[in-house]
């Protein structure tokens, strides 16, 4: 993951420089922390009718190892498939993503991809894209808009992930115990649906309950912070942690160790994503299960963009196929992990 991060950072810097040179504008100051490029500034309209596929992609930011892997997949697939990609890092802010989409519309791209940081608030800008004749493809997260405002959603079934996480927790706790939940970003479809799926499945286990649930914003640092608070508020009462992503689980593991307890043993850990770092934690006996969520969506994304440009029919949902990985097989599984 370290090498991937390095390659990613280099690619992002190169893209920012190339993008800004093309725009002939200076970089805007960053709205928040993060190392990625700022939302693309408006520039010359792209030449329509150009044979080359021109795609704008409004990424959320760099909050997790999973997101880095997704960005890498998109940059890499664009390169391999010869796509002219305009990439923007929203630095976790919806307003930045909206600005980037407006810029892509002005540049006259063929297709716009967006990973919506939250579900609501997209109607106006998606309508603007529709009026400009530019299809929107939702990548990895959903937006709460009517069907006519987007062409396709590419990504996972987050409700199913939540259900599977609950089944795994029940197996680990022998159907009995207290769980704390680390939620993802409030208002993100990945958080809302993972919470929903887990809660629905939990109804089948009357002796298992969630005693605390709070957002850790999909980051390791906040996952740790929230877990520290949970441990203080419920000393000796927590049997399991359900984290909406691996990064928060990794933060929780640190907090549990700092409290003198054994993660994976005293407190079971179930999370979602399947990044290498959680496999390392499973190999070390400190995490128990990860429910996979595939970030390597680049090739599928550009195939859909290509089909859209050629006027072909595309499915409304391109669903990812995903597995469940347990501590018992982690040492073997880690050898073939791609992210
Ligand atoms: O939308 C997918 C989620 O976003 C991943 O689970 C998480 O790690 C990421 O940041």
């Amino acid at each position: 993951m370290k090498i991937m991060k390095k390659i990613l950072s280099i690619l992002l810097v190169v893209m920012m420089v190339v993008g800004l040179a093309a725009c002939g504008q200076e970089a805007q100051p960053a709205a928040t922390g993060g190392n990625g490029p700022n939302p693309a500034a408006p520039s010359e309209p792209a030449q329509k009718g150009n044979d080359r596929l021109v795609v704008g992609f409004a990424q959320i930011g760099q909050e997790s190892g999973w997101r880095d892997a997704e960005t890498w997949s998109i940059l890499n697939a664009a390169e391999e498939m010869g796509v002219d990609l305009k990439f923007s890092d929203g630095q976790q802010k919806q307003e930045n993503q909206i600005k980037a989409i407006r810029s892509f519309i002005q540049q006259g791209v063929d297709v716009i991809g967006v990973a919506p940081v939250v579900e609501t608030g997209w109607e106006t800008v998606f309508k603007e894209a529709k009026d400009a004749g530019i299809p929107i493809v939702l990548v990895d997260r959903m937006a709460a808009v009517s069907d006519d405002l987007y062409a396709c959603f590419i990504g996972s079934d987050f409700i199913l992930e939540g259900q599977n996480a609950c089944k795994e927790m029940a197996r680990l706790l022998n159907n009995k115990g207290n769980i704390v939940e680390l939620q993802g970003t409030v208002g993100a479809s990945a958080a809302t649906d993972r919470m929903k799926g887990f809660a629905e499945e939990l109804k089948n286990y009357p002796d298992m309950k969630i005693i605390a649930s709070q957002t850790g914003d999909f980051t390791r640092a906040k996952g740790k912070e929230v877990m520290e608070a949970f441990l203080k508020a419920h000393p000796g009462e927590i049997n399991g942690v359900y984290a909406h992503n691996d990064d928060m689980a990794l933060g929780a593991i640190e907090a549990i160790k700092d409290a003198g307890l054994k993660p994976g043993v005293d407190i079971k850990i179930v999370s979602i994503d399947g990044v290498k770092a959680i496999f390392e934690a499973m190999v070390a006996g400190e995490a128990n299960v990860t429910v996979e969520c595939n970030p390597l969506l680049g090739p599928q994304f550009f195939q859909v963009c290509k089909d859209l440009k050629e006027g072909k029919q595309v499915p409304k949902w391109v669903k990812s196929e995903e597995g469940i990985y347990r501590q018992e097989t982690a040492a073997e599984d880690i050898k073939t992990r791609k992210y």
Side-chain angles (χ1 to χ4, degrees):
M1 187 54 76
K2 268 187 189 152
I3 294 173
M4 196 192 274
K5 268 205 152 181
K6 207 162 200 170
I7 295 172
L8 186 65
S9 307
I10 293 167
L11 277 169
L12 285 173
V13 170
V14 169
M15 292 194 71
M16 179 170 69
V17 170
V18 170
L20 290 170
C23 295
Q25 301 204 8
E26 281 182 13
Q28 296 161 359
T32 60
N35 309 315
N38 295 316
S43 71
E44 297 294 303
Q47 286 157 15
K48 279 267 179 193
N50 188 345
D51 277 353
R52 199 162 173 214
L53 175 65
V54 185
V55 176
F57 183 67
Q59 179 58 292
I60 293 173
Q62 301 174 49
E63 77 280 8
S64 63
W66 188 98
R67 181 103 6 237
D68 290 345
E70 186 192 58
T71 295
W72 177 84
S73 171
I74 283 168
L75 298 181
N76 196 47
E79 178 85 26
E80 278 183 359
M81 294 166 82
V83 177
D84 179 355
L85 175 67
K86 300 179 186 311
F87 181 92
S88 163
D89 179 329
Q91 296 172 354
Q92 256 61 45
K93 292 208 184 280
Q94 183 178 34
E95 66 198 72
N96 288 344
Q97 289 192 292
I98 290 175
K99 254 189 232 163
I101 293 171
R102 293 212 163 108
S103 161
F104 298 149
I105 295 171
Q106 281 212 337
Q107 292 177 68
V109 301
D110 295 309
V111 182
I112 293 173
V114 54
V117 61
V118 290
E119 261 188 298
T120 55
W122 300 99
E123 289 87 353
T124 308
V125 74
F126 284 10
K127 263 188 205 135
E128 290 168 23
K130 191 180 177 190
D131 291 346
I134 303 173
I136 295 278
V137 177
L138 302 173
V139 181
D140 106 63
R141 289 191 193 170
M142 268 305 286
V145 293
S146 55
D147 276 8
D148 62 310
L149 289 184
Y150 70 96
C152 175
F153 166 59
I154 303 172
S156 311
D157 184 337
F158 295 137
I159 292 186
L160 182 66
E161 288 172 352
Q163 289 167 337
N164 284 335
C166 185
K167 284 182 191 156
E168 289 299 313
M169 186 62 90
R171 184 181 60 79
L172 291 161
L173 298 183
N174 293 321
N175 303 337
K176 194 177 168 164
N178 294 328
I179 301 155
V180 294
E181 180 180 34
L182 292 167
Q183 301 169 26
T185 302
V186 175
S189 64
T192 311
D193 288 352
R194 285 171 184 171
M195 192 151 91
K196 204 171 169 181
F198 195 94
E200 266 172 19
E201 186 61 31
L202 196 61
K203 290 181 189 149
N204 298 320
Y205 306 96
D207 295 328
M208 264 184 9
K209 62 173 185 289
I210 294 181
I211 56 168
S213 178
Q214 207 178 304
T215 181
D217 212 11
F218 282 128
T219 70
R220 192 187 282 220
K222 287 202 185 139
K224 182 174 180 190
E225 201 179 295
V226 175
M227 190 64 207
E228 281 165 355
F230 284 164
L231 286 162
K232 273 194 195 124
H234 304 277
E237 289 171 24
I238 303 170
N239 307 111
V241 172
Y242 165 44
H244 290 188
N245 81 345
D246 291 341
D247 276 63
M248 291 188 294
L250 292 161
I253 288 170
E254 286 175 31
I256 294 167
K257 288 206 276 192
D258 290 352
L261 295 165
K262 283 191 183 147
V265 180
D266 299 327
I267 298 179
K268 307 291 185 196
I269 312 284
V270 176
S271 54
I272 297 175
D273 274 357
V275 298
K276 263 215 179 107
I278 204 76
F279 278 84
E280 281 158 8
M282 286 199 284
V283 172
E286 295 179 343
N288 303 89
V289 173
T290 185
V291 175
E292 189 180 35
C293 177
N294 181 17
L296 307 178
L297 304 175
Q300 285 165 307
F301 170 52
F302 292 117
Q303 187 54 53
V304 165
C305 294
K306 198 167 168 275
D307 289 348
L308 285 168
K309 182 170 172 147
E310 288 167 6
K312 291 186 188 156
Q313 195 76 22
V314 298
K316 207 67 194 174
W317 185 359
V318 178
K319 225 188 244 191
S320 307
E321 278 183 24
E322 293 156 344
I324 296 172
Y325 295 91
R326 302 184 175 124
Q327 192 188 79
E328 293 73 14
T329 56
E332 203 47 39
D333 296 330
I334 198 170
K335 294 178 189 161
T336 52
R337 295 306 292 168
K338 293 198 177 74
Y339 62 95

